Amino acid sequence: ERKAKEEAEMRARIEMRARETIAEDTRAKVQAELEGDMTKRAEIEGKAQAKAYMAAKEKAESDEDERLRADQARRAREIAEVLRTRVEADDVAPDSAKAGAKRRPKRRGNLLRTALATLVLLLLGGVALLMVLPLRPYTAKVEKSMSAWLNDTVKIDAMVFRPIPTPHLKVQNVTVGQLLEATAQEGRIYLDITTLFGDKLAINAIELDGVKLSPEAVKRLPAWGKPEGKAEAGGIDRITLKNVQLDVKPPLGAFNANLQFGRDGVMRQAALNSTNWSVGLKPVEKGFEFDGTASNMPLPVGAPMVVNGVRLKGTWSGNEILVPEFEADAFEGKVNGTLRITWGSGVRLESDLALAKVNVQQLVGAFTKAIVITGRADGNFTFAAEGPSVEQLFAATRSQGKFRVGDGTISNVDLVAVMQSDSAGQRAGVTKFVELAGELAAADNRVSYRNVNLQGGVLRGNGSVDLGGNGALNGRLSLEIRSQVAQDRGSFVVTGNVQRPSIRRGG
């Protein structure tokens, strides 16, 4: 032990003198070049401003290494002194034994206890040394292993060892990519500590908190997830990401992710969850299978709708997401359908929808407050939307289908009064109906209602109405009143706008 200690101290002094000699030679050469060539000096000073942070950081790390190495040598001497004292105490017999007529032989139990005590002290000393040992060389090893696993550059600003609750490496300011496409405020790396001093790391799990992904990072996620080269890099069993924020529009909100991998680098499964949604993914031959749920979740784009109890299953392959069937609770009713999303030069969404017992007042109110329509709606529709990005997905939409609304009312007009008086077509009112059915077609910010049929007590009506993007109305109606005291029939022209419609007889 003394010989090993002396050799370690001798190597430390030799390395220190070598570094000092190299540093002095380097400074002398740089000084000579600076004094001999003023043009080069100006160029170097300009570059030095760009590298000031890195130079200051390296100097601080060098100073910290020197200080920690001195502390390490001091602690090693203290531990060696403690161990030497314990061993000598067991080897030397007490005075009382010397005074006896015959010295007893040493017991095997004493040797065992001494060995165990020595082992415990060595372990404690090793842990203590690891906590104060400069970890910059080992940080570079961890960076290299993670970079090989991700096929991209990984940088760690600081790394320290922590023995509890489970031995791990605590890291701070982790970045991925040359342009810092992905960052994490802090994290923990769980690995076989013995491999930290070997050629190949064995990382069991990585936990990162405060993760931010730029739009470029989102695009590179498939490349980071490729299994090629991951087995040679040592493998990572599990990656846990907390408080993940994607820099995308529309904003998605913070979520957590748990990714599990095999030693061959292939992802086994993934779970993503937020406060109001969760998605589970499992790799298949040509992509992923996923199932998800959502509750009280506003749609990220389009009309400000809130859906509840969404349940869906589908596949994600390349640039396509396909959901054969989904169901959701919306506007106090049920919505079922299919969903297909593709992307490339733009984003396109296609869906077949079936509505059952949907509250029409809430549905219409999500689009406009200029009119109130009540009742419960059933219907079947096809819907398509596309745009250059997700944020502009609903820039161009098309939909068509058939609907039926039962036991409701339409505000802003009283069709019964219109039949009785021409002036009533300019006044506000309410039209009650037992059933309102028809066909809907929407495109280019225009909505057409065709084959509209209204049944409401003594009132019957049918016709067609077009609704412009600015709320303008244009259409024709045929109305009829049938009662025991009066009968009337007529054709009417619809103009004005949704908030103030104008209905006059004629045409």
Side-chain angles (χ1 to χ4, degrees), residues 30-67:
V30 173
Q31 185 65 25
E33 292 178 359
L34 291 176
E35 293 176 354
D37 190 351
M38 296 304 293
T39 302
K40 186 175 181 180
R41 179 178 179 180
E43 180 182 354
I44 293 175
E45 288 178 351
K47 291 182 179 180
Q49 292 178 356
K51 297 182 179 179
Y53 171 77
M54 293 303 299
K57 179 181 177 182
E58 289 177 359
K59 184 178 183 304
E61 290 178 350
S62 177
D63 295 343
E64 183 66 11
D65 285 349
E66 293 298 331
R67 186 185 67 80

Side-chain angles (χ1 to χ4, degrees), residues 346-350 383-389 392-398:
V347 183
R348 179 177 176 82
L349 181 149
E350 300 172 281
F383 178 82
E386 59 183 327
S389 64
Q392 299 175 308
L393 176 60
F394 289 88
T397 61
R398 296 188 305 275

Side-chain angles (χ1 to χ4, degrees), residues 319-481:
N319 291 352
E320 181 184 64
I321 293 177
L322 182 62
V323 179
E325 183 178 1
F326 75 88
E327 59 181 13
D329 301 329
F331 305 116
E332 301 178 1
K334 297 288 185 180
V335 179
N336 298 299
T338 65
L339 186 65
R340 181 173 180 263
I341 302 175
T342 57
W343 61 90
S345 58
V347 183
R348 179 177 176 82
L349 181 149
E350 300 172 281
S351 179
D352 293 329
L353 300 174
L355 278 60
K357 305 301 180 183
V358 170
N359 188 317
V360 180
Q361 182 174 353
Q362 296 180 11
L363 176 62
V364 174
F367 293 92
T368 179
K369 303 298 182 183
I371 189 172
V372 177
I373 302 177
T374 65
R376 295 282 178 169
D378 301 321
N380 293 280
F381 302 91
T382 60
F383 178 82
E386 59 183 327
S389 64
V390 176
E391 186 181 17
Q392 299 175 308
L393 176 60
F394 289 88
T397 61
R398 296 188 305 275
S399 62
Q400 61 181 13
K402 296 181 179 181
F403 64 90
R404 176 191 174 278
V405 183
D407 295 325
T409 61
I410 302 175
S411 69
N412 302 344
V413 63
D414 184 351
L415 294 180
V416 175
V418 169
M419 294 287 293
Q420 299 172 348
S421 172
D422 292 339
S423 61
Q426 310 296 324
R427 298 195 302 265
V430 175
T431 298
K432 296 182 179 180
F433 59 84
V434 176
E435 180 181 277
L436 177 65
E439 300 175 1
L440 177 148
D444 300 327
N445 294 324
R446 297 183 63 85
V447 183
S448 297
Y449 298 91
R450 295 289 183 264
N451 299 322
V452 178
N453 190 288
L454 183 146
Q455 305 289 333
V458 299
L459 180 66
R460 302 285 188 275
N462 59 76
S464 300
V465 178
D466 293 331
L467 175 63
N470 56 358
L473 294 173
N474 182 24
R476 292 180 177 276
L477 298 177
S478 294
L479 302 177
E480 180 181 3
I481 289 182

Side-chain angles (χ1 to χ4, degrees), residues 154-208:
V154 176
K155 292 294 183 183
I156 299 174
D157 190 54
M159 185 175 78
V160 295
F161 173 76
R162 290 290 181 265
I164 54 176
T166 302
H168 65 276
L169 300 174
K170 183 177 180 181
V171 295
Q172 292 183 336
N173 298 330
V174 182
T175 62
V176 180
Q178 294 289 348
L179 301 178
L180 310 184
E181 290 89 347
T183 63
Q185 295 178 355
E186 61 181 9
R188 291 154 296 280
I189 300 177
Y190 298 88
L191 49 71
D192 184 351
I193 297 298
T194 59
T195 64
L196 189 63
F197 307 99
D199 297 331
K200 191 174 182 180
L201 292 179
I203 299 178
N204 299 321
I206 296 177
E207 297 180 359
L208 299 177

